[in-house]
Amino acid sequence: MQHPLNCIIVSLLAMGLSPLGFTEPVQANSVTSLAASCYACHGPDGNSMGGTASLAGLNASYFAERMQGFKDGSMPATVMHQHAKGLTQTEILALADYFATLPRKTPKPLPYQSFKGQP
Amino acid sequence: MKTRDFAVHASQALSSTHRRQFCRQVVYGGLAFYGLPAFARANKPPLGQVVVVGAGFAGLTAAKYIRQWSRGNVGVTVIEPNMQFISCPQSNLVLGGSKTMDALSFSYQLAQTQHGLKWVHDQVVAISPTRKQVQLARGTLHYDKLILAPGVDFNYRPLVGMTQPVAHITHAWKAGAQTLQLRQQLTAMADGGVFVITIPKAPYRCPPGPYERACQVAHYFKQHKPRSKVIVLDANPDIVSKKGLFMQSFRGLYADIIDYRPNSEIVEIDPNTHTVKTDFETVHADLLNVIPPQLAGKIAQQAQLNNVDQRWCEVDFLTYASTIAPDIHIIGDSISAGLPKSAHMATSQAKICAAAMVDLLAGQAPNPLPVFANTCYSFVDDQQAMHVANVYRFDATKKTMIGAEGGGVSTQASLLEGQYAQAWANNIWADTLT
Ligand SMILES: Cc1cc2nc3c(=O)[nH]c(=O)nc-3n(C[C@H](O)[C@H](O)[C@H](O)COP(=O)(O)OP(=O)(O)OC[C@H]3O[C@@H](n4cnc5c(N)ncnc54)[C@H](O)[C@@H]3O)c2cc1C
């Protein structure tokens, strides 16, 4: 289920327009690399190794509401308010739609190997 | 000398219109899935060959995402002398005693096979930008685009009395044998001993790292050597990162152990007597840990790309291309930026660079407005951690990445954030190594 507003905004973004009517250069690729910067905490392609939320396959309106809550302070947070406040509404909605398209997967186990003594 | 040249120029065979159409469809494949045209399934990468120097957080991440976002249409060769990936993040916990080196050591193999990376276990010793070649210890390699991600090098020259590394005085600022050596020195030190750590003037790798280390050593002393002390000789006028939070620990949990001394740049060191002279005093250590001043990795210096203060490399923040060598892109700790030199930052830069590189090779304009995040946790003991977190956004006027609205630090270290810090480590390792 996608939030109808998201669909409109994504269409506007596709035309190179922001919901406010001015041109804002958010492209598919900027969403992809911005989303990828979340993987340090939320796992490869949004599939968390545990301890944080998996973002892959999250319902877009749920994601957008949570982020909006972190941004305006209505949703208590340990660290997410720092990030949510730094993102624009447009970016949050674009991320919401992007994460909704990613498949939820079980991440691969980490390739641990005993330490061999490198300098 | 055997010459290995993996470069291919199949991309030149494609008409540029065809290439553009094709790229729109396949690039950033996470958004949609299209059938690959026949030439895309051929062995030779149609969009070109990228060589990545260094498989740390920055280089390995760039290699992975170039393969992923080009959907295999850019070939990537990685050159790395080390056999294993050893994580600097959490290496201070080895000193505190709550982690082992095995918990920070990983095989490169999964990343290699998963993303179809060509791997050369070697070291780059020289670069020829005109011939687009890198010289390895054993052979040469051609590139269409080069990514340098060599991390930092240490500069001992300003350390009067110790202008060369000395075997028994560690930096332990590249996780590995020295981390273990320092841990062994700590366990061998008698109770009542004095551990002295010196911090160079910023910028250096991992701004909160030295203070985290002071806490970890104090955590170990508190349990096993309660009469011992930690003296922090900081060349900076103040704690460089998470100041208020580290002060809470220095004045609270470790008030009897940690003695923090700002403005304490090394004037002279005597490595034999473990004595450090500053402008104000002479301090004797039972165990000395010297974090030397730093600069871009050796190969960046050798190629004369360290054009800022002869230390760091200046880059274009849309592509991470060097401002003086357009086909050489530089990411991670080696670059000059008002950004903290952290693993998360290195991977965030790597992803912007990877996206731009795929765009450039496909004849498209790179993203004009990159945005990314950085979260950095520090552990004050074996379980409690605290964060500094920010979003950064490209500023077209200043032509650099600027901290966005919001951002900041924890109110205090906590058990909950200790769990998040562990989750961060597991997830960034997974993102980089799988
Ligand atoms: C004690 C400590 C704690 C830290 N804690 C954190 C933390 O909690 N969170 C965080 O975000 N960051 C942390 N950091 C910082 C983080 O480790 C670095 O910012 C990060 O490793 C930078 O990545 P990089 O790829 O630029 O360099 P590196 O990870 O150092 O990788 C460089 C690679 O290049 C290779 N290389 C060098 N020269 C050549 C050559 N000529 N040819 C081929 N290969 C070459 C090296 O072998 C190496 O593998 C910490 C650092 C330290 C020292």
Side-chain angles (χ1 to χ4, degrees), chain A residues 19-36:
Chain A
L20 301 173
F22 54 84
T23 309
E24 204 179 39
V26 177
Q27 304 172 331
N29 64 2
S30 69
V31 174
T32 315
S33 56
L34 172 57

PDB file of all heavy atoms in Angstrom, chain A residues 19-36:
ATOM      1  N   PRO A  19       7.171  19.129  -4.800  1.00  0.00           N
ATOM      2  CA  PRO A  19       5.749  19.318  -4.517  1.00  0.00           C
ATOM      3  C   PRO A  19       5.398  20.801  -4.367  1.00  0.00           C
ATOM      4  O   PRO A  19       4.266  21.191  -4.478  1.00  0.00           O
ATOM      5  CB  PRO A  19       5.543  18.582  -3.204  1.00  0.00           C
ATOM      6  CG  PRO A  19       6.744  17.734  -3.017  1.00  0.00           C
ATOM      7  CD  PRO A  19       7.852  18.318  -3.816  1.00  0.00           C
ATOM      8  N   LEU A  20       6.413  21.622  -4.080  1.00  0.00           N
ATOM      9  CA  LEU A  20       6.140  23.050  -3.895  1.00  0.00           C
ATOM     10  C   LEU A  20       6.178  23.799  -5.218  1.00  0.00           C
ATOM     11  O   LEU A  20       5.961  24.995  -5.262  1.00  0.00           O
ATOM     12  CB  LEU A  20       7.168  23.655  -2.930  1.00  0.00           C
ATOM     13  CG  LEU A  20       7.175  23.007  -1.542  1.00  0.00           C
ATOM     14  CD1 LEU A  20       8.332  23.548  -0.711  1.00  0.00           C
ATOM     15  CD2 LEU A  20       5.854  23.248  -0.833  1.00  0.00           C
ATOM     16  N   GLY A  21       6.495  23.105  -6.290  1.00  0.00           N
ATOM     17  CA  GLY A  21       6.396  23.737  -7.599  1.00  0.00           C
ATOM     18  C   GLY A  21       7.718  24.162  -8.192  1.00  0.00           C
ATOM     19  O   GLY A  21       7.803  24.379  -9.385  1.00  0.00           O
ATOM     20  N   PHE A  22       8.804  24.260  -7.361  1.00  0.00           N
ATOM     21  CA  PHE A  22      10.071  24.666  -7.969  1.00  0.00           C
ATOM     22  C   PHE A  22      10.871  23.424  -8.359  1.00  0.00           C
ATOM     23  O   PHE A  22      10.593  22.324  -7.897  1.00  0.00           O
ATOM     24  CB  PHE A  22      10.877  25.572  -7.036  1.00  0.00           C
ATOM     25  CG  PHE A  22      11.118  24.999  -5.678  1.00  0.00           C
ATOM     26  CD1 PHE A  22      12.167  24.125  -5.460  1.00  0.00           C
ATOM     27  CD2 PHE A  22      10.276  25.321  -4.607  1.00  0.00           C
ATOM     28  CE1 PHE A  22      12.386  23.598  -4.211  1.00  0.00           C
ATOM     29  CE2 PHE A  22      10.491  24.788  -3.367  1.00  0.00           C
ATOM     30  CZ  PHE A  22      11.545  23.928  -3.161  1.00  0.00           C
ATOM     31  N   THR A  23      11.838  23.643  -9.207  1.00  0.00           N
ATOM     32  CA  THR A  23      12.620  22.495  -9.692  1.00  0.00           C
ATOM     33  C   THR A  23      13.617  22.061  -8.632  1.00  0.00           C
ATOM     34  O   THR A  23      14.381  22.871  -8.127  1.00  0.00           O
ATOM     35  CB  THR A  23      13.382  22.891 -10.964  1.00  0.00           C
ATOM     36  OG1 THR A  23      12.435  23.468 -11.842  1.00  0.00           O
ATOM     37  CG2 THR A  23      14.023  21.693 -11.617  1.00  0.00           C
ATOM     38  N   GLU A  24      13.565  20.807  -8.296  1.00  0.00           N
ATOM     39  CA  GLU A  24      14.518  20.309  -7.301  1.00  0.00           C
ATOM     40  C   GLU A  24      15.177  19.058  -7.876  1.00  0.00           C
ATOM     41  O   GLU A  24      14.488  18.124  -8.248  1.00  0.00           O
ATOM     42  CB  GLU A  24      13.777  19.970  -6.011  1.00  0.00           C
ATOM     43  CG  GLU A  24      14.660  20.008  -4.810  1.00  0.00           C
ATOM     44  CD  GLU A  24      13.871  19.687  -3.552  1.00  0.00           C
ATOM     45  OE1 GLU A  24      12.999  18.816  -3.595  1.00  0.00           O
ATOM     46  OE2 GLU A  24      14.134  20.297  -2.533  1.00  0.00           O
ATOM     47  N   PRO A  25      16.486  19.067  -7.970  1.00  0.00           N
ATOM     48  CA  PRO A  25      17.139  17.984  -8.690  1.00  0.00           C
ATOM     49  C   PRO A  25      17.268  16.685  -7.882  1.00  0.00           C
ATOM     50  O   PRO A  25      18.354  16.235  -7.607  1.00  0.00           O
ATOM     51  CB  PRO A  25      18.510  18.566  -9.030  1.00  0.00           C
ATOM     52  CG  PRO A  25      18.762  19.559  -7.957  1.00  0.00           C
ATOM     53  CD  PRO A  25      17.441  20.048  -7.479  1.00  0.00           C
ATOM     54  N   VAL A  26      16.164  16.124  -7.451  1.00  0.00           N
ATOM     55  CA  VAL A  26      16.225  14.801  -6.829  1.00  0.00           C
ATOM     56  C   VAL A  26      15.957  13.781  -7.918  1.00  0.00           C
ATOM     57  O   VAL A  26      14.921  13.818  -8.569  1.00  0.00           O
ATOM     58  CB  VAL A  26      15.176  14.656  -5.708  1.00  0.00           C
ATOM     59  CG1 VAL A  26      15.210  13.243  -5.135  1.00  0.00           C
ATOM     60  CG2 VAL A  26      15.441  15.672  -4.623  1.00  0.00           C
ATOM     61  N   GLN A  27      16.917  12.898  -8.151  1.00  0.00           N
ATOM     62  CA  GLN A  27      16.766  11.913  -9.213  1.00  0.00           C
ATOM     63  C   GLN A  27      16.708  10.527  -8.599  1.00  0.00           C
ATOM     64  O   GLN A  27      17.025  10.347  -7.442  1.00  0.00           O
ATOM     65  CB  GLN A  27      17.974  11.975 -10.153  1.00  0.00           C
ATOM     66  CG  GLN A  27      18.190  13.344 -10.733  1.00  0.00           C
ATOM     67  CD  GLN A  27      19.492  13.396 -11.496  1.00  0.00           C
ATOM     68  OE1 GLN A  27      20.428  12.686 -11.192  1.00  0.00           O
ATOM     69  NE2 GLN A  27      19.519  14.259 -12.493  1.00  0.00           N
ATOM     70  N   ALA A  28      16.357   9.573  -9.420  1.00  0.00           N
ATOM     71  CA  ALA A  28      16.337   8.198  -8.935  1.00  0.00           C
ATOM     72  C   ALA A  28      17.681   7.845  -8.324  1.00  0.00           C
ATOM     73  O   ALA A  28      17.772   7.244  -7.278  1.00  0.00           O
ATOM     74  CB  ALA A  28      16.018   7.246 -10.068  1.00  0.00           C
ATOM     75  N   ASN A  29      18.769   8.280  -8.960  1.00  0.00           N
ATOM     76  CA  ASN A  29      20.072   7.881  -8.448  1.00  0.00           C
ATOM     77  C   ASN A  29      20.393   8.542  -7.117  1.00  0.00           C
ATOM     78  O   ASN A  29      21.072   7.964  -6.291  1.00  0.00           O
ATOM     79  CB  ASN A  29      21.173   8.108  -9.486  1.00  0.00           C
ATOM     80  CG  ASN A  29      21.381   9.549  -9.836  1.00  0.00           C
ATOM     81  OD1 ASN A  29      20.739  10.431  -9.278  1.00  0.00           O
ATOM     82  ND2 ASN A  29      22.285   9.796 -10.769  1.00  0.00           N
ATOM     83  N   SER A  30      19.901   9.751  -6.880  1.00  0.00           N
ATOM     84  CA  SER A  30      20.202  10.379  -5.600  1.00  0.00           C
ATOM     85  C   SER A  30      19.480   9.648  -4.473  1.00  0.00           C
ATOM     86  O   SER A  30      20.000   9.528  -3.379  1.00  0.00           O
ATOM     87  CB  SER A  30      19.842  11.866  -5.619  1.00  0.00           C
ATOM     88  OG  SER A  30      18.454  12.032  -5.670  1.00  0.00           O
ATOM     89  N   VAL A  31      18.283   9.145  -4.745  1.00  0.00           N
ATOM     90  CA  VAL A  31      17.572   8.358  -3.730  1.00  0.00           C
ATOM     91  C   VAL A  31      18.335   7.063  -3.468  1.00  0.00           C
ATOM     92  O   VAL A  31      18.493   6.645  -2.318  1.00  0.00           O
ATOM     93  CB  VAL A  31      16.125   8.046  -4.173  1.00  0.00           C
ATOM     94  CG1 VAL A  31      15.451   7.108  -3.183  1.00  0.00           C
ATOM     95  CG2 VAL A  31      15.338   9.314  -4.315  1.00  0.00           C
ATOM     96  N   THR A  32      18.826   6.455  -4.529  1.00  0.00           N
ATOM     97  CA  THR A  32      19.543   5.186  -4.372  1.00  0.00           C
ATOM     98  C   THR A  32      20.775   5.351  -3.492  1.00  0.00           C
ATOM     99  O   THR A  32      21.000   4.557  -2.585  1.00  0.00           O
ATOM    100  CB  THR A  32      19.977   4.646  -5.760  1.00  0.00           C
ATOM    101  OG1 THR A  32      18.866   4.770  -6.642  1.00  0.00           O
ATOM    102  CG2 THR A  32      20.398   3.209  -5.680  1.00  0.00           C
ATOM    103  N   SER A  33      21.562   6.405  -3.756  1.00  0.00           N
ATOM    104  CA  SER A  33      22.781   6.544  -2.950  1.00  0.00           C
ATOM    105  C   SER A  33      22.468   7.084  -1.556  1.00  0.00           C
ATOM    106  O   SER A  33      23.143   6.722  -0.594  1.00  0.00           O
ATOM    107  CB  SER A  33      23.834   7.391  -3.667  1.00  0.00           C
ATOM    108  OG  SER A  33      23.317   8.645  -4.011  1.00  0.00           O
ATOM    109  N   LEU A  34      21.441   7.921  -1.439  1.00  0.00           N
ATOM    110  CA  LEU A  34      21.046   8.368  -0.094  1.00  0.00           C
ATOM    111  C   LEU A  34      20.564   7.176   0.730  1.00  0.00           C
ATOM    112  O   LEU A  34      20.968   6.992   1.887  1.00  0.00           O
ATOM    113  CB  LEU A  34      19.943   9.435  -0.195  1.00  0.00           C
ATOM    114  CG  LEU A  34      19.275   9.871   1.116  1.00  0.00           C
ATOM    115  CD1 LEU A  34      20.300  10.406   2.112  1.00  0.00           C
ATOM    116  CD2 LEU A  34      18.208  10.935   0.865  1.00  0.00           C
ATOM    117  N   ALA A  35      19.726   6.329   0.137  1.00  0.00           N
ATOM    118  CA  ALA A  35      19.236   5.130   0.840  1.00  0.00           C
ATOM    119  C   ALA A  35      20.405   4.254   1.252  1.00  0.00           C
ATOM    120  O   ALA A  35      20.450   3.741   2.378  1.00  0.00           O
ATOM    121  CB  ALA A  35      18.288   4.348  -0.067  1.00  0.00           C
ATOM    122  N   ALA A  36      21.393   4.137   0.349  1.00  0.00           N
ATOM    123  CA  ALA A  36      22.537   3.259   0.636  1.00  0.00           C
ATOM    124  C   ALA A  36      23.326   3.752   1.844  1.00  0.00           C
ATOM    125  O   ALA A  36      23.956   2.959   2.553  1.00  0.00           O
ATOM    126  CB  ALA A  36      23.438   3.162  -0.595  1.00  0.00           C
TER     127      ALA A  36
END
